[in-house]
Every structure is written in structure tokens, then in C-alpha cells.
Amino acid sequence: MNERAKILDGRRILVVEDDYLVALALSTVLEEAGAHVVGPVASAEEAVALLEEGRERVDAAVLDVDLNGETSYPVADALASRDIRFVFATGYGIDAVAEGYRHYPRCQKPFDHRAIFKALKG
């Protein structure tokens, strides 16, 4: 087993991403790093519902900022209120993230996998 395969071993990572191919690629990379992927889910409403139901343990999350024209900020708020680490993902610069959310970790698309792993591990 290589070093990358151990980095997220046993962690349950929620993926909130509206682009199927991006979600699939990200999920594959996370699983190769030892994580169990929760989702992926494509909408903020679905992700918040998943968190509120509490049937799935979530250790960390990757949130696409723009989900088909809506933001993932409600998910970020739900995660922050539960002290669950998350990272925003965006293909745009820092200006794509609302000012009140800029203090959270952000990874640029296309993803640098090491940066995602580091942000999720803390």
C-alpha cells in the first residue's frame, strides 16, 4: 500500500458536487486515499438533509461552491455548526467565495489532490 492510500484511511468524506464527472473523479481519488465517500450529492438541500438525518457519519467534506446556480453555503453552515471540517472547491478565484466564507479552506479546480488531502486532514 502506498503512502497516498493511507492518508485518509477510514475517514468518511461527504462530496457535494453537481458535475457528475467531477464528482466521480474526486470520489475515486478520495477512495484511493482510503476514505469512504458519502454521496456524492448534487444539491445543497440534499446535503443538508443528509446531515440533519444523522444516519451517515461525516468526518469532513468537499463542497463545490456553485451547485447549478445555488451556493453550498447552507451545507457549510450545517457542517460548521457540527464542527465538521470542510473545504470549498471552485474553478474560480477567491472572489467566487462570499466574503463571510473566505476564511474556510478553498481548493482550486482542477484539483491538486495533495491540497485536498491536507485540507481534509487538518
Side-chain angles (χ1 to χ4, degrees), residues 69-88:
E70 66 177 343
T71 68
S72 61
Y73 302 141
V75 186
D77 294 338
L79 291 163
S81 73
R82 291 166 173 80
D83 292 321
I84 298 173
R85 175 180 300 283
F86 64 90
V87 59
F88 283 120

Side-chain angles (χ1 to χ4, degrees), residues 15-36:
V15 173
V16 182
E17 170 61 62
D18 62 341
D19 183 304
Y20 175 77
L21 293 177
V22 173
L24 182 63
L26 177 58
S27 296
T28 299
V29 167
L30 293 171
E31 288 169 349
E32 287 173 355
H36 171 81

